[in-house]
Amino acid sequence: MDEEYDLFVIGAGMAGTTAANKCAARGWRVGIVDALPYGGTCALRGCDPKKILRRGAEVIDAANLMRDKGITEDRLSIDWPALMRHKRGFTDGVPQGMEDELTGNGVEIFHGTAWFTGPNLLSINGREHHAKRFLIATGARPRTLTFPGHEHLIDSADFLDLDSLPQKIVFIGGGFISFEFAHIAARAGVECVIIDHGERPLKEFDADLVKNLIHRSEQVGIQVLSNTTLTHVRGTATGLEVTGEKDGKTLTLGADLAVHGAGRTANLETLNLEAANITSGPRGVTVSGHLQSTTNPAVFAAGDAADTPGKPLTPVAVFEGKIAASNMLKGITTVPDYTGVPTTVFTIPELNRVGVLEQEARDGGVDIVVETNDTSGWYSNYRVGETTASTKIIIDKTTNKILGAHLLGPGYAELINIFALAIKLGLTSKQLKSMTATYPSIGSDLGSML
């Protein structure tokens, strides 16, 4: 057994590496381990590579929108292998860069599967390590599916590493992954179908804006099947046969590929948490508000591996990692502030949310003003030829403070950050409208949205 560590981090994604670097900088002896290449889901298998691939789709869509408006898009197409090389030009260097940063800060790095053998003992590749504290930051994994033929599906990481695209893809689940990937693949000429078992997809977003996004998705050839229960997937001589039930009738689809986009769960199954008296559930390690395990005081958790009020987003993982590190270093109990954290579905155009939904505000008894706008005809969207864009802003009628903002439109992923800051700082609609924005820009539309 090695000399005792001050902190051992399990998981080398953004939450884990943030905490490891912070604690090592304060002179602690820190170890970190991951069974996968260092960098985590976002940098290697999620947000970053996804948005690089989306760039190809953006160019195709932008050209299509400007057809007959000065642009001829004849023969413009996505070269998928070349686009994938562009993506790998970013992702290939991430693991070594992450390891160099950690070792440069004095963190000891390990590769392999880790599991607890006691409250303060961690085994890696058969060797035990003792630590005063642990941070579990193992992220999330695709939710286990049990229907017959589930083994035929690929997951999001597989999709982001495809060397070529087939002619038809079925996406299982109506969340971020399915919509974002379908919008990329459709612009590459793929026939895409999204199967969702619920009444409507993207339930965490404004229902009116989701309806508009579905219409836009259908315009580019994406078929969205709601209220559809998948029953089985079968391999055939030519691909896959995906079978489900919709409105009491059997529905069968042929496909070349099926992608699992039906949710994710905390990645904890190999950690042997029971040996360390660590309780957990589907949402992650059971923690108090300040991210410490409720059953083992030596353990903290952050990011998608922690059961917190935070959304499963990279920025949330980063600030939870920072706060967990500060709490351990200083022996304090700071609780993360999740106010004003925006989230985006990077479809084309993108769908955004920050703060409360309209119904949430009404259910909470708040007297609200709802400012809705069809912005498809506004100058900033007319300029690029976009015909689907809308906004909904929720304002407290008594205080005039912004409570929620919901935006669907090109470039609105940048604009949502201003609303996020307004909610974070408790700004009023009047204060936001007092801003003088550079013109003509998307930001200059903000005042009119209010």
Side-chain angles (χ1 to χ4, degrees), residues 152 233-237 239-241:
H152 293 297
V233 176
R234 185 175 66 87
T236 68
L240 298 174
E241 184 180 83

Side-chain angles (χ1 to χ4, degrees), residues 156-167:
S156 56
D158 297 325
F159 178 89
L160 290 172
D161 210 29
L162 289 174
D163 289 321
S164 61
L165 287 178
Q167 290 184 332

Side-chain angles (χ1 to χ4, degrees), residues 54 349-352 375 381 386 388-391 407-413:
R54 181 186 187 259
E350 57 260 32
L351 174 66
N352 308 270
T375 61
N381 292 316
E386 180 57 74
T388 301
S390 50
T391 67
L407 315 177
L408 170 67
Y412 285 0

Side-chain angles (χ1 to χ4, degrees), residues 135-167:
L135 176 68
I136 298 175
T138 47
R141 61 173 178 80
R143 181 171 64 86
T144 300
L145 302 176
T146 58
F147 57 80
H150 64 84
E151 66 276 7
H152 293 297
L153 273 63
I154 68 168
D155 62 22
S156 56
D158 297 325
F159 178 89
L160 290 172
D161 210 29
L162 289 174
D163 289 321
S164 61
L165 287 178
Q167 290 184 332

Side-chain angles (χ1 to χ4, degrees), residues 317-447:
V318 170
F319 73 64
E320 284 187 348
K322 289 179 180 177
I323 291 171
S326 292
N327 286 342
M328 288 185 283
L329 285 165
K330 301 174 184 178
I332 58 177
T333 56
T334 299
V335 176
D337 180 6
Y338 299 100
T339 305
V341 176
T343 181
T344 297
V345 185
F346 281 102
T347 46
I348 302 173
E350 57 260 32
L351 174 66
N352 308 270
R353 170 191 174 174
V354 65
V356 300
L357 295 167
E358 177 183 355
Q359 195 58 49
E360 289 175 343
R362 296 193 189 282
D363 291 345
V366 183
D367 189 8
I368 59 173
V369 175
V370 181
E371 297 289 350
T372 60
N373 295 282
D374 178 353
T375 61
S376 59
W378 291 16
Y379 169 78
S380 54
N381 292 316
Y382 174 84
R383 182 183 72 85
V384 298
E386 180 57 74
T387 58
T388 301
S390 50
T391 67
K392 181 182 290 188
I393 315 300
I394 316 300
I395 302 169
D396 188 317
K397 191 173 184 179
T398 303
T399 66
N400 198 235
K401 289 183 178 180
I402 309 296
L403 301 180
H406 308 275
L407 315 177
L408 170 67
Y412 285 0
E414 301 298 335
L415 190 59
I416 198 70
N417 292 318
I418 299 179
F419 286 105
L421 183 63
I423 292 173
K424 183 79 170 179
L425 299 181
L427 301 182
T428 65
S429 170
K430 183 178 180 180
Q431 286 173 318
L432 271 187
K433 286 191 286 188
S434 72
M435 178 187 75
T436 301
T438 186
Y439 183 87
S441 67
I442 295 172
S444 65
D445 289 342
L446 187 145

Side-chain angles (χ1 to χ4, degrees), residues 103 115 163 189 203 251 358 423 437 448:
T103 55
W115 64 92
D163 289 321
K203 298 178 185 65
L251 175 73
E358 177 183 355
I423 292 173
S448 300

Side-chain angles (χ1 to χ4, degrees), residues 36 50 87 156 192 211 225 260 262 312:
L36 294 172
K50 166 199 70 186
K87 183 219 73 168
S156 56
C192 298
K211 183 178 179 181
L225 300 175
H260 178 357

Side-chain angles (χ1 to χ4, degrees), residues 47 63 78 111 129 168 170 174 178 192 221 271 289 299 329-330 332 343 345 347 364 439-440:
C47 331
I78 290 178
H111 297 272
H129 303 270
K168 184 172 183 179
V170 173
S178 293
C192 298
L271 291 182
V299 174
L329 285 165
K330 301 174 184 178
I332 58 177
T343 181
V345 185
T347 46
Y439 183 87

